[in-house]
Amino acid sequence: MASDVDTAPLVGRAELVQTVRSALLGEAAHGQTAAVFLTGESGVGKTRLLGEIGDRLRERGAVVLTGSCLDIGDASPLHPLLQALRRFDAEVSTSPARTSSAVRGLLQMFADETASPDGAGALLERVSRGLHLIAEGRPLVLILDDLQWVDRSTRQLLLYLLAGLGDLQLSVLAAVRAESLQGAHPLRRVLTELRRLRTVRVLDLAPLGRADTETLAVAVVGRTLSADAAEQVWQRSGGNPFVIEELARDLRDGRDGLSETLREIFLDRVDALPQHAHAVVHAVAAGVEPVQHWLLAEVLRMPEDELIAAARAAVAHRLLVGADEGYRLRHRLVAEVLAHELLPAERSGLHRRYAEALTSAPGELHQARLAHHWRLAGEPARALPAAVAAAQEAERLHGYAEAHRHWSAALQLAAEPGPLTVDPVELLENAAEAAHHCGEHARALALLEELAALRGGEPSCALHIRRARYLAAAGRSALAEEEYQRALKAADCSPRDRASAAARLAELLLHLGRYADAGERAREALALAENVVGSATEVVLASSALGFSDACLEDPDAGLAVMRDALDTAERAGQPEDVACAYLHLAELLTGPLNVLEEGVVVARRGAERVTELGLGRTWGTRLLAIAINGLFRVGQWAEAEKVVAAALRHRPSGADAVELLLARCRLSVGYGDIEAAGRDLDAVATLLAGGGARHVIPLLTLRSGLAMWEGRHDVARQAVQRGLTESRSDDVMILSALVWHGLRAEAEAHASRTVEVDPTAVRRLRDVAERVARKSAGAARPVRSVVEGFLALCAAEVSRLDGSDPELWAASAAEWDRRNHPYPAAYSRLRQAEALLARRSRVATAGKLLREAYRVAQGLGAVPLTSEIRELAGRARVSLDERDSISGARGVPVEASDDELAALTAREREVLALVAEGLTNREIGQRLFISERTIGVHVSHIFDKLQVRTRVQASAIQLRNQRG
């Protein structure tokens, strides 16, 4: 059946269609993801544009998947994607077998999905891999309508794919009803954040202007309108295309006078329908679209011939749209107009017939839809089991937000009068846990209160422990501590529960910086665990707290011994998550409080290999590799860190784990001066953080500031820092101190370059924050205090640049970072110290020595921007950077010329040069080494500079000559 009898032309949107098409295919053609979100009022033409653009994209060879979000409030996780896949499966049934097989394979994966240790991250990766198979190298475009109703799982999938984590050339086109994004709507914040990104566009679809309104009306009517008629259409439609079309059709059909409102238009149209067609329209309005023909037949119970005739009449009167998958109202405005045209008994009767038809139908039962219809039919006892089944189905797909809504609906249904088929205690427990998993901490705690009231008497030990977990997750640490204390005193507390409560309390106290208290509780937990069989989890948690406590209270050897024993215990017990947790805590101890970076890196990498063998590579393995990467970056082994990043990303992490890795890789790119790669990673992180993740906001903005400074955009750097200070409520003194340094450096760079005026207000604010950080860190643990002191030394030195740079402050900063074995900030400090000495025209020889030492470190790291700045200063001061031109080398002894022409190259640069000599292009080298083509270009440029050559042939000749030697 035709979907409409007289489709109106698309007017006034040609330029927009071209813009969207170019944005989606242009970025994808360059291997990047892209997204366009169309927002606008109801009837402005969003759905029509999605269809038009989708057709154009198909013509260009793209694979287009189209789905719609449901407005029933409790849709299944990933519903629009599943719908899009089923639609595409129907389209490709005659296509090559490989494409059809890939679609059905992905659909089957959803059906077979079970809970796994990797959880939602594994599901996201499998979805991405399935979409990759479907695309077969072609651009893939996912088109979603009514995104204002999107479920949380689909929202997370979109952010995962748009961040580029799926290794998929994907574009997203979605329509959002603007009037729905009110208040705290979750999509509102997401779109606000995504607007900032280069590859994302949020386009507000405005009504048509006066001229386009008349053009559309004339096209529908089929003749020129009188001036009065054209003015009437314009005034009553306000440029809304849907209303224009309806008013114009009334004119064309010779209706006397134009209807004043849409309500009148549609009611007049319904009144003109045959009786059976009335029933069809109201039935579709009560259903969940699209309503399949067989289902409509079951609900209306009319003969097939009558049903087809009635549906055809409704389509002809422009109230329904018919397609292969079923019927839908021509516009959601029709449902709003018809909402009050039925009596309550008539509406509930329709919903009852829908529920009965769905229950009796063979095949897979859509529990969420069934619960929806039974509830609106006034049958809570029959809706309850469907709501429970829908919640369990959502949890199977790791959709805890959707599960929480279903459990909440089940609780409401259970409160209705009548016999209960489900244990209310079980309902409350499941609802609370789902709320906790999806971050609804206040709701989770409220449900626990209901649970305690329902059980009566004194709360159990298990309930105290659960409440403490929820409070800790909500950031209410003091109350969480009290709950753990109550659990330990509870009369019904079993030895295992007591050991668990003590271990978790020790962990909480450690995070609060109360190291002595944490150690005391940890020892208590370990003593309790000795008498409990299978208590490896408690032992690992308590040992971690005790190890960190001892290390921070000046007994590092004792702390390290405890952590190693915990790892042995976990390995003997054989529980994968306990082994992973023990490795993670041991690596954190070595790279944190103990500052034994090299050993910490080794432990982290060995742990990542082990947990990958145990099936936890995507989560715990990624976290361990992130520790290794940050350790390697700090000690200056950037090339090795780059390799570990590539290995970690092959695990396809998601969420916070992916953010950590992308920030680590971006840190390397900023250091290397690979502006394009750094910008791409920052956009990917911002995409992921649009769904939440406050603790990563400051590191993101710190890196944005650092990148902007190397680009010479000091005003942009300032804005990033000020945004971090304004938007984040973090009290983490380490990340705040790094942010403040970047802010003061941006002001100092602006002062030195004279391209941007220094902002005295910003400087004053930054100095205030630095003083607050200094006061707060004074009582922190030694390792935290040590790192903060390094950044505060940089801050003090940067402030001096605003009024005559002080070389002594820069010398103090270099000494601080040397003591921590952090070569990059030490080299930066020496550059600034030399700059200050040269500005004062004193100790020129010392300045030259400092520049040469900084240059040696920067070249060894591959830090191109820092190397360039050192060269520029040395050139202005006429200081030679060649060690052989100085009286002595950096260590005070003569430097002999090396026989190895490649001695100046880093390990990574040697790898790149070897592949250049094989004749590989930058793109091919990047694919071989799992790094970006742009980064390879930076390495090649650096190689040319160090070898003093200009072409790849000359560089290859040196490589081959040294190979023969």
Side-chain angles (χ1 to χ4, degrees):
M1 182 180 293
S3 66
D4 207 340
V5 291
D6 56 348
T7 301
L10 190 66
V11 173
R13 307 296 193 196
E15 185 176 342
L16 178 68
V17 169
Q18 181 59 38
T19 298
V20 173
R21 189 180 69 174
S22 299
L24 296 179
L25 291 187
E27 293 293 344
H30 291 90
Q32 297 186 36
T33 59
V36 175
F37 297 93
L38 299 176
T39 69
E41 64 182 16
S42 298
V44 81
K46 301 182 296 296
T47 301
R48 173 70 187 281
L49 274 169
L50 295 186
E52 185 76 21
I53 295 168
D55 290 342
R56 303 277 183 93
L57 295 173
R58 288 187 186 92
E59 292 170 3
R60 294 282 298 272
V63 175
V64 179
L65 304 178
T66 306
S68 301
C69 304
L70 291 180
D71 66 338
I72 61 175
D74 49 7
S76 301
L78 301 173
H79 166 79
L81 177 64
L82 286 164
Q83 183 188 61
L85 289 170
R86 291 183 182 117
R87 287 175 175 174
F88 191 66
D89 185 34
E91 292 174 13
V92 300
S93 56
T94 57
S95 295
R98 188 167 58 180
T99 301
S100 183
S101 174
V103 177
R104 288 169 191 168
L106 186 51
L107 286 170
Q108 188 60 44
M109 183 275 294
F110 282 110
D112 297 340
E113 177 68 13
T114 57
S116 67
D118 275 348
L123 176 63
L124 293 177
E125 195 276 331
R126 286 195 289 275
V127 171
S128 173
R129 190 165 59 230
L131 292 174
H132 185 83
L133 291 173
I134 291 170
E136 294 186 294
R138 295 167 290 177
L140 179 67
V141 182
L142 181 59
I143 297 181
L144 299 177
D145 201 1
D146 288 323
L147 198 69
Q148 70 276 0
W149 294 318
V150 67
D151 61 275
R152 182 171 177 177
S153 297
T154 301
R155 195 165 69 239
Q156 289 174 334
L157 174 66
L158 289 179
L159 295 176
Y160 175 85
L161 295 174
L162 287 176
L165 296 174
D167 193 23
L168 183 69
Q169 292 187 16
L170 174 83
S171 298
V172 173
L173 173 61
V176 186
R177 188 186 288 194
E179 60 264 33
S180 298
L181 300 184
Q182 302 297 324
H185 195 293
L187 193 62
R188 185 179 183 182
R189 179 182 181 278
V190 171
L191 292 180
T192 299
E193 292 300 320
L194 292 180
R195 279 180 188 268
R196 306 178 195 269
L197 305 181
R198 294 170 298 174
T199 58
V200 175
R201 295 192 184 189
V202 181
L203 303 178
D204 300 315
L205 201 57
L208 298 180
R210 174 69 173 78
D212 286 333
T213 294
E214 184 170 353
T215 300
L216 178 57
V218 167
V220 172
V221 174
R223 55 180 169 76
T224 303
L225 300 183
S226 67
D228 288 345
E231 182 62 21
Q232 227 177 358
V233 171
W234 164 245
Q235 291 296 333
R236 293 182 181 177
S237 69
N240 185 293
F242 181 72
V243 182
I244 296 167
E245 290 180 30
E246 298 310 316
L247 293 172
R249 287 183 177 118
D250 277 356
L251 277 174
R252 182 194 62 191
D253 297 342
R255 297 183 188 274
D256 295 331
L258 294 181
S259 303
E260 291 291 340
T261 66
L262 274 178
R263 177 182 175 81
E264 289 180 13
I265 291 174
F266 288 122
L267 289 180
D268 286 348
R269 211 164 282 165
V270 170
D271 289 342
L273 285 173
Q275 187 59 40
H276 290 317
H278 271 268
V280 168
V281 171
H282 284 295
V284 172
V288 177
E289 297 179 348
V291 178
Q292 299 96 322
H293 184 80
W294 70 266
L295 182 57
L296 190 62
E298 288 289 323
V299 169
L300 293 176
R301 301 168 186 168
M302 64 174 63
E304 180 72 5
D305 290 346
E306 286 186 19
L307 177 59
I308 291 176
R312 189 179 294 279
V315 170
H317 283 75
R318 301 184 298 281
L319 293 166
L320 288 189
V321 175
D324 291 340
E325 60 183 355
Y327 301 100
R328 64 178 69 245
L329 297 174
R330 185 163 179 269
H331 199 280
R332 293 304 303 170
L333 290 171
V334 179
E336 294 169 16
V337 168
L338 297 178
H340 304 292
E341 294 306 308
L342 290 180
L343 294 171
E346 290 176 300
R347 281 197 302 274
S348 63
L350 280 172
H351 286 295
R352 182 176 294 103
R353 291 202 294 274
Y354 267 116
E356 290 169 347
L358 288 169
T359 303
S360 62
E364 180 186 0
L365 191 59
H366 194 300
Q367 297 288 354
R369 188 173 295 189
L370 184 62
H372 168 76
H373 285 302
W374 277 130
R375 180 174 58 82
L376 293 179
E379 298 273 4
R382 303 181 77 173
L384 179 55
V388 170
Q392 293 168 340
E393 173 70 7
E395 288 179 347
R396 186 179 66 81
L397 293 175
H398 315 288
Y400 290 105
E402 293 75 31
H404 168 47
R405 288 203 299 272
H406 289 306
W407 287 121
S408 297
L411 284 170
Q412 292 175 351
L413 293 165
E416 296 287 336
L420 272 181
T421 58
V422 181
D423 180 2
V425 170
E426 183 182 343
L427 282 181
L428 283 166
E429 287 180 338
N430 285 316
E433 196 66 12
H436 170 64
H437 276 300
C438 70
E440 296 287 345
H441 303 303
R443 176 64 176 158
L445 289 164
L447 289 167
L448 282 189
E449 294 303 319
E450 291 183 37
L451 182 60
L454 182 64
R455 284 177 169 168
E458 286 295 317
S460 67
C461 176
L463 189 63
H464 282 305
I465 292 175
R466 180 185 274 199
R467 185 182 288 143
R469 280 198 300 117
Y470 291 2
L471 286 165
R476 299 164 70 180
S477 302
L479 292 175
E481 181 183 353
E482 291 176 10
E483 283 299 319
Y484 279 128
Q485 299 280 15
R486 292 190 185 103
L488 289 167
K489 294 175 183 176
D492 69 329
C493 206
S494 68
R496 178 180 296 281
D497 283 343
R498 203 175 298 279
S500 176
R504 291 182 183 280
L505 176 55
E507 183 183 39
L508 176 67
L509 293 169
L510 182 72
H511 289 312
L512 293 175
R514 291 164 52 188
Y515 301 104
D517 292 340
E520 181 183 342
R521 285 300 183 184
R523 289 186 180 90
E524 179 185 350
L526 290 171
L528 290 166
E530 284 181 1
N531 303 315
V532 178
V533 177
S535 59
T537 300
E538 289 73 21
V539 169
V540 169
L541 276 177
S543 297
S544 169
L546 182 57
F548 273 87
S549 172
D550 285 348
C552 292
L553 295 174
E554 315 302 335
D555 194 358
D557 292 337
L560 192 57
V562 169
M563 293 296 294
R564 293 194 191 283
D565 288 344
L567 178 57
D568 291 341
T569 301
E571 287 283 15
R572 286 196 301 272
Q575 288 295 323
E577 292 214 358
D578 290 339
V579 174
C581 186
Y583 265 115
L584 186 76
H585 290 150
L586 179 57
E588 286 176 334
L589 181 66
L590 288 164
T591 58
L594 302 186
N595 201 34
V596 187
L597 296 176
E598 290 81 358
E599 186 181 352
V601 168
V602 170
V603 168
R605 296 179 78 170
R606 186 169 67 235
E609 290 178 9
R610 177 73 178 112
V611 301
T612 299
E613 292 171 4
L614 296 173
L616 300 176
R618 183 189 317 280
T619 50
W620 292 95
T622 298
R623 292 165 202 164
L624 281 159
L625 290 177
I627 292 173
I629 293 160
N630 287 323
L632 289 166
F633 180 84
R634 285 158 62 189
V635 299
Q637 296 184 34
W638 289 8
E640 190 63 23
E642 200 172 15
K643 289 181 183 177
V644 180
V645 169
L649 287 172
R650 286 198 286 275
H651 285 308
R652 300 285 180 233
S654 61
D657 297 328
V659 168
E660 291 282 2
L661 282 182
L662 291 170
L663 286 173
R665 186 169 69 179
C666 181
R667 200 171 290 117
L668 287 166
S669 297
V670 171
Y672 283 140
D674 189 345
I675 291 171
E676 184 179 332
R680 195 162 53 243
D681 281 342
L682 287 173
D683 283 352
V685 170
T687 300
L688 291 171
L689 294 186
R695 72 187 178 94
H696 291 109
V697 169
I698 288 184
L700 166 70
L701 293 171
T702 300
L703 284 169
R704 277 211 189 279
S705 175
L707 180 62
M709 277 187 272
W710 285 135
E711 293 178 289
R713 299 190 299 158
H714 308 308
D715 54 337
V716 174
R718 172 192 295 154
Q719 290 165 11
V721 171
Q722 293 299 317
R723 182 184 160 205
L725 294 175
T726 301
E727 295 186 12
S728 175
R729 297 291 181 266
S730 175
D731 57 358
D732 187 322
V733 290
M734 287 198 290
I735 63 173
L736 272 175
S737 59
L739 180 71
V740 172
W741 168 48
H742 277 70
L744 290 169
R745 182 182 157 204
E747 298 300 334
E749 297 287 357
H751 175 72
S753 66
R754 291 180 169 79
T755 55
V756 180
E757 289 291 328
V758 173
D759 185 343
T761 303
V763 173
R764 189 162 51 250
R765 184 185 188 191
L766 289 163
R767 295 182 71 171
D768 288 344
V769 176
E771 290 174 7
R772 177 159 49 88
V773 167
R775 288 194 301 272
K776 187 163 187 178
S777 65
R782 178 172 53 82
V784 173
R785 195 168 60 247
S786 176
V787 173
V788 172
E789 285 170 355
F791 281 116
L792 291 178
L794 283 167
C795 289
E798 295 289 4
V799 170
S800 78
R801 290 178 70 193
L802 298 172
D803 188 23
S805 191
D806 185 343
E808 296 306 317
L809 289 175
W810 286 112
S813 176
E816 286 282 351
W817 292 107
D818 280 340
R819 187 158 54 84
R820 292 166 184 77
N821 191 25
H822 289 195
Y824 183 79
Y828 173 79
S829 298
R830 287 191 173 87
L831 162 65
R832 295 295 173 223
Q833 184 185 357
E835 182 180 57
L837 289 171
L838 291 169
R840 297 183 178 196
R841 302 188 178 177
S842 64
R843 299 164 58 193
V844 176
T846 302
K849 182 179 178 181
L850 290 167
L851 283 175
R852 281 188 289 275
E853 191 171 348
Y855 185 67
R856 176 180 56 79
V857 171
Q859 278 211 311
L861 293 172
V864 175
L866 182 59
T867 302
S868 299
E869 191 164 353
I870 294 168
R871 277 205 201 103
E872 185 180 342
L873 177 59
R876 291 199 309 269
R878 299 184 179 179
V879 171
S880 172
L881 295 174
D882 191 334
E883 297 278 3
R884 289 168 291 193
D885 291 341
S886 62
I887 296 174
S888 63
R891 298 179 182 269
V893 296
V895 179
E896 300 293 334
S898 172
D899 292 333
D900 182 4
E901 294 176 277
L902 307 182
L905 302 187
T906 65
R908 176 62 97 189
E909 288 164 353
R910 287 174 180 251
E911 282 184 290
V912 172
L913 179 58
L915 295 174
V916 167
E918 289 182 22
L920 273 62
T921 65
N922 286 1
R923 179 185 290 272
E924 291 167 336
I925 296 171
Q927 291 169 346
R928 181 82 62 89
L929 298 180
F930 300 101
I931 53 181
S932 73
E933 181 181 355
R934 174 75 177 177
T935 299
I936 295 298
V938 172
H939 284 314
V940 170
S941 175
H942 211 182
I943 289 166
F944 285 6
D945 183 56
K946 289 182 179 181
L947 298 182
Q948 297 184 359
V949 298
R950 293 186 177 181
T951 68
R952 297 171 84 92
V953 173
Q954 292 171 332
S956 299
I958 294 175
Q959 166 70 12
L960 295 172
R961 186 163 62 241
N962 278 267
Q963 278 181 338
R964 287 195 297 271

